[in-house]
Protein backbone atom coordinates (compact mmCIF):
# COMPACT_ATOMS: atom_id res chain seq x y z
CA UNK A 1 0.00 0.00 0.00
CA UNK A 2 2.79 2.41 0.92
CA UNK A 3 4.70 1.59 -2.29
CA UNK A 4 1.53 2.15 -4.27
CA UNK A 5 0.98 5.58 -2.70
CA UNK A 6 4.59 6.48 -3.47
CA UNK A 7 4.03 5.39 -7.08
CA UNK A 8 1.06 7.72 -7.42
CA UNK A 9 2.86 10.64 -5.79
CA UNK A 10 5.81 10.24 -8.14
CA UNK A 11 3.91 10.24 -11.43
CA UNK A 12 6.11 11.99 -13.97
CA UNK A 13 4.89 14.79 -16.21
CA UNK A 14 4.85 12.51 -19.27
CA UNK A 15 2.67 10.00 -17.41
CA UNK A 16 0.31 12.72 -16.20
CA UNK A 17 0.15 13.87 -19.83
CA UNK A 18 -0.94 10.38 -20.90
CA UNK A 19 -3.72 10.40 -18.30
CA UNK A 20 -4.69 13.95 -19.31
CA UNK A 21 -5.03 12.85 -22.92
CA UNK A 22 -7.35 10.03 -21.85
CA UNK A 23 -9.40 12.55 -19.87
CA UNK A 24 -9.36 14.97 -22.81
CA UNK A 25 -10.80 12.32 -25.14
CA UNK A 26 -13.49 11.50 -22.59
CA UNK A 27 -14.29 15.20 -22.16
CA UNK A 28 -14.65 15.62 -25.92
CA UNK A 29 -17.15 12.74 -26.13
CA UNK A 30 -19.02 14.09 -23.10
CA UNK A 31 -19.23 17.58 -24.61
CA UNK A 32 -20.72 16.19 -27.81
CA UNK A 33 -23.28 14.11 -25.92
CA UNK A 34 -24.24 16.98 -23.59
CA UNK A 35 -24.60 19.35 -26.53
CA UNK A 36 -27.03 16.93 -28.16
CA UNK A 37 -28.96 16.44 -24.93
CA UNK A 38 -29.28 20.14 -24.16
CA UNK A 39 -29.70 21.46 -27.69
CA UNK A 40 -26.93 24.01 -27.06
CA UNK A 41 -23.22 24.07 -27.80
CA UNK A 42 -21.10 22.93 -24.85
CA UNK A 43 -17.32 22.80 -24.97
CA UNK A 44 -15.06 21.33 -22.29
CA UNK A 45 -11.60 22.76 -21.73
CA UNK A 46 -8.49 20.58 -21.60
CA UNK A 47 -8.88 18.97 -18.16
CA UNK A 48 -6.57 19.57 -15.24
CA UNK A 49 -5.62 16.22 -13.73
CA UNK A 50 -4.07 15.70 -10.32
CA UNK A 51 -3.35 12.76 -8.08
CA UNK A 52 -4.42 13.62 -4.56
CA UNK A 53 -5.35 12.09 -1.25
CA UNK A 54 -9.14 11.86 -1.14
CA UNK A 55 -9.31 13.90 2.05
CA UNK A 56 -7.49 16.76 0.27
CA UNK A 57 -10.01 16.95 -2.57
CA UNK A 58 -12.94 18.85 -0.94
CA UNK A 59 -11.23 22.28 -0.92
CA UNK A 60 -10.69 21.95 -4.68
CA UNK A 61 -14.42 21.45 -5.23
CA UNK A 62 -16.02 23.86 -2.76
CA UNK A 63 -15.75 25.09 0.81
CA UNK A 64 -16.30 22.24 3.31
CA UNK A 65 -19.69 23.66 4.34
CA UNK A 66 -20.85 24.41 0.80
CA UNK A 67 -23.45 22.04 -0.65
CA UNK A 68 -22.49 19.93 -3.64
CA UNK A 69 -24.21 17.37 -5.82
CA UNK A 70 -22.28 14.16 -6.41
CA UNK A 71 -23.13 11.46 -8.94
CA UNK A 72 -21.71 8.11 -7.80
CA UNK A 73 -21.20 5.13 -10.09
CA UNK A 74 -19.42 1.83 -9.68
CA UNK A 75 -16.91 0.81 -12.32
CA UNK A 76 -17.14 -2.87 -13.18
CA UNK A 77 -15.53 -5.21 -15.67
CA UNK A 78 -11.78 -5.64 -16.16
CA UNK A 79 -11.17 -2.63 -13.91
CA UNK A 80 -13.10 -2.08 -10.71
CA UNK A 81 -13.66 0.84 -8.41
CA UNK A 82 -15.90 3.86 -8.13
CA UNK A 83 -16.32 7.15 -9.90
CA UNK A 84 -17.60 10.33 -8.35
CA UNK A 85 -18.68 13.35 -10.37
CA UNK A 86 -18.99 16.41 -8.13
CA UNK A 87 -20.62 19.76 -8.94
CA UNK A 88 -21.07 22.81 -6.73
CA UNK A 89 -24.79 23.10 -5.92
CA UNK A 90 -25.37 26.13 -8.16
CA UNK A 91 -23.61 24.40 -11.05
CA UNK A 92 -25.83 21.34 -10.59
CA UNK A 93 -28.93 23.55 -10.72
CA UNK A 94 -27.74 25.25 -13.90
CA UNK A 95 -26.86 21.90 -15.44
CA UNK A 96 -30.37 20.64 -14.64
CA UNK A 97 -31.85 23.69 -16.37
CA UNK A 98 -29.76 22.99 -19.47
CA UNK A 99 -30.68 19.30 -19.50
CA UNK A 100 -34.37 20.17 -19.09
CA UNK A 101 -34.07 23.03 -21.61
CA UNK A 102 -35.43 25.53 -19.13
CA UNK A 103 -34.59 29.25 -18.92
CA UNK A 104 -31.68 30.29 -16.73
CA UNK A 105 -32.77 30.94 -13.15
CA UNK A 106 -35.95 28.86 -13.45
CA UNK A 107 -34.66 26.12 -11.11
CA UNK A 108 -34.52 27.31 -7.52
CA UNK A 109 -33.88 23.89 -5.97
CA UNK A 110 -32.94 20.35 -6.90
CA UNK A 111 -36.30 18.59 -6.91
CA UNK A 112 -36.90 15.09 -8.24
CA UNK A 113 -36.94 16.17 -11.89
CA UNK A 114 -33.78 18.25 -11.51
CA UNK A 115 -32.04 15.42 -9.66
CA UNK A 116 -32.90 13.01 -12.47
CA UNK A 117 -31.44 15.48 -14.98
CA UNK A 118 -28.21 15.83 -12.97
CA UNK A 119 -27.94 12.03 -12.70
CA UNK A 120 -28.34 11.72 -16.46
CA UNK A 121 -25.65 14.36 -17.05
CA UNK A 122 -23.40 12.48 -14.61
CA UNK A 123 -24.15 9.23 -16.39
CA UNK A 124 -23.09 10.78 -19.72
CA UNK A 125 -19.91 12.35 -18.32
CA UNK A 126 -18.73 9.40 -16.25
CA UNK A 127 -19.58 6.98 -19.06
CA UNK A 128 -17.53 9.05 -21.51
CA UNK A 129 -14.50 9.01 -19.21
CA UNK A 130 -14.82 5.28 -18.58
CA UNK A 131 -15.08 4.60 -22.32
CA UNK A 132 -11.92 6.63 -22.93
CA UNK A 133 -10.09 4.71 -20.20
CA UNK A 134 -11.42 1.43 -21.59
CA UNK A 135 -10.10 2.27 -25.08
CA UNK A 136 -6.74 3.45 -23.71
CA UNK A 137 -6.20 0.23 -21.78
CA UNK A 138 -8.02 -2.06 -24.25
CA UNK A 139 -10.10 -3.43 -21.40
CA UNK A 140 -13.82 -3.86 -20.93
CA UNK A 141 -15.47 -1.47 -18.48
CA UNK A 142 -19.07 -0.72 -17.75
CA UNK A 143 -20.71 1.60 -15.24
CA UNK A 144 -23.45 0.82 -12.74
CA UNK A 145 -26.62 2.96 -12.74
CA UNK A 146 -25.87 6.38 -11.18
CA UNK A 147 -26.93 7.47 -7.71
CA UNK A 148 -27.03 11.06 -6.49
CA UNK A 149 -25.99 12.49 -3.15
CA UNK A 150 -26.52 16.11 -2.10
CA UNK A 151 -24.62 17.23 0.99
CA UNK A 152 -21.80 19.43 2.21
CA UNK A 153 -18.57 18.99 0.26
CA UNK A 154 -16.61 17.57 3.19
CA UNK A 155 -19.42 15.15 4.11
CA UNK A 156 -19.67 13.74 0.57
CA UNK A 157 -15.95 13.10 0.30
CA UNK A 158 -15.59 11.84 3.88
CA UNK A 159 -18.36 9.30 3.34
CA UNK A 160 -16.67 8.09 0.18
CA UNK A 161 -13.30 7.99 1.91
CA UNK A 162 -14.63 5.95 4.82
CA UNK A 163 -16.30 3.51 2.45
CA UNK A 164 -13.00 2.86 0.72
CA UNK A 165 -10.62 3.25 3.67
CA UNK A 166 -8.13 0.41 3.66
CA UNK A 167 -8.38 -0.06 -0.10
CA UNK A 168 -6.85 3.14 -1.30
CA UNK A 169 -5.75 6.57 -0.20
CA UNK A 170 -5.01 8.49 -3.39
CA UNK A 171 -7.39 9.15 -6.26
CA UNK A 172 -7.27 10.61 -9.75
CA UNK A 173 -9.02 13.99 -9.79
CA UNK A 174 -9.99 15.56 -13.12
CA UNK A 175 -11.14 19.20 -13.07
CA UNK A 176 -13.25 20.28 -16.02
CA UNK A 177 -14.50 23.65 -17.16
CA UNK A 178 -17.67 23.53 -19.23
CA UNK A 179 -18.13 26.45 -21.60
CA UNK A 180 -21.73 27.13 -22.60
CA UNK A 181 -21.08 28.85 -25.93
CA UNK A 182 -24.70 29.93 -26.50
CA UNK A 183 -24.95 31.52 -23.04
CA UNK A 184 -21.38 32.79 -22.58
CA UNK A 185 -21.16 30.87 -19.29
CA UNK A 186 -18.53 28.70 -17.67
CA UNK A 187 -19.24 25.92 -15.16
CA UNK A 188 -16.85 23.70 -13.21
CA UNK A 189 -17.08 20.05 -12.33
CA UNK A 190 -14.78 17.40 -10.84
CA UNK A 191 -14.48 13.77 -11.89
CA UNK A 192 -12.85 11.47 -9.33
CA UNK A 193 -11.67 7.97 -10.20
CA UNK A 194 -11.20 5.63 -7.24
CA UNK A 195 -9.81 2.34 -8.56
CA UNK A 196 -9.41 -0.70 -6.36
CA UNK A 197 -5.87 -1.90 -5.60
CA UNK A 198 -5.53 -4.23 -8.61
CA UNK A 199 -7.05 -1.73 -11.01
CA UNK A 200 -4.79 1.02 -9.74
CA UNK A 201 -1.75 -1.12 -10.44
CA UNK A 202 -3.06 -1.86 -13.93
CA UNK A 203 -3.50 1.88 -14.62
CA UNK A 204 -0.02 2.64 -13.29
CA UNK A 205 1.42 -0.11 -15.53
CA UNK A 206 -0.44 1.37 -18.50
CA UNK A 207 1.45 4.63 -18.01
CA UNK A 208 4.66 2.64 -17.51
CA UNK A 209 4.93 3.15 -13.78
CA UNK A 210 3.98 -0.25 -12.40
Amino acid sequence: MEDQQQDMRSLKAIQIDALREVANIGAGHAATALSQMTGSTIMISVPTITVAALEDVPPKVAGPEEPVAAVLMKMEGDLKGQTLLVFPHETAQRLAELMLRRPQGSSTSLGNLEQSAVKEAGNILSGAYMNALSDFMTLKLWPSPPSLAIDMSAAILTTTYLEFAGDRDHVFCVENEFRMVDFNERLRGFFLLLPDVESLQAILRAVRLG
Side-chain angles (χ1 to χ4, degrees):
M1 179 70 179
E2 190 170 330
D3 290 344
Q4 169 183 304
Q5 291 175 14
Q6 184 60 40
D7 282 348
M8 294 187 74
R9 283 193 292 267
S10 60
L11 279 168
K12 296 179 177 63
I14 191 168
Q15 293 152 344
I16 290 287
D17 282 344
L19 293 170
R20 184 183 295 111
E21 182 56 29
V22 174
N24 201 30
I25 291 168
H29 293 321
T32 300
L34 284 176
S35 295
Q36 292 171 347
M37 288 286 291
T38 61
S40 59
T41 304
I42 296 176
M43 300 181 73
I44 301 180
S45 65
V46 176
T48 300
I49 185 165
T50 55
V51 179
L54 187 56
E55 62 266 34
D56 292 338
V57 170
K60 296 175 182 290
V61 178
E65 298 304 314
E66 288 185 47
V68 297
V71 180
L72 298 92
M73 298 169 69
K74 288 187 178 177
M75 181 172 64
E76 299 168 342
D78 294 330
L79 294 181
K80 292 181 171 58
Q82 180 156 319
T83 67
L84 197 64
L85 192 68
V86 186
F87 298 107
H89 197 270
E90 288 184 2
T91 297
Q93 284 187 190
R94 183 67 183 115
L95 194 56
E97 289 173 346
L98 290 164
M99 293 290 288
L100 297 168
R101 303 198 183 194
R102 290 178 176 171
Q104 185 174 2
S106 59
S107 292
T108 56
S109 64
L110 288 175
N112 289 338
L113 194 58
E114 289 85 0
Q115 289 185 29
S116 293
V118 173
K119 277 201 288 189
E120 182 55 28
N123 195 27
I124 290 168
L125 284 159
S126 295
Y129 284 126
M130 277 190 253
N131 285 339
L133 185 61
S134 173
D135 291 345
F136 173 67
M137 298 188 66
T138 62
L139 296 173
K140 291 181 180 179
L141 301 178
W142 55 87
S144 70
S147 61
L148 181 69
I150 301 171
D151 206 333
M152 300 301 123
S153 175
I156 291 282
L157 276 300
T158 300
T159 301
T160 306
Y161 177 70
L162 290 174
E163 182 178 347
F164 286 97
D167 275 345
R168 82 247 14 198
D169 181 34
H170 285 67
V171 298
F172 298 100
C173 178
V174 180
E175 180 179 354
N176 290 299
E177 183 178 75
F178 304 83
R179 187 158 61 89
M180 315 301 170
V181 177
D182 303 341
F183 303 99
N184 196 27
E185 287 181 76
R186 295 176 186 270
L187 303 174
R188 282 193 319 150
F190 297 81
F191 175 77
L192 307 181
L193 175 65
L194 300 88
D196 68 10
V197 175
E198 292 78 12
S199 299
L200 170 58
Q201 288 301 322
I203 294 169
L204 293 176
R205 283 195 298 273
V207 291
R208 294 182 174 85
L209 191 69

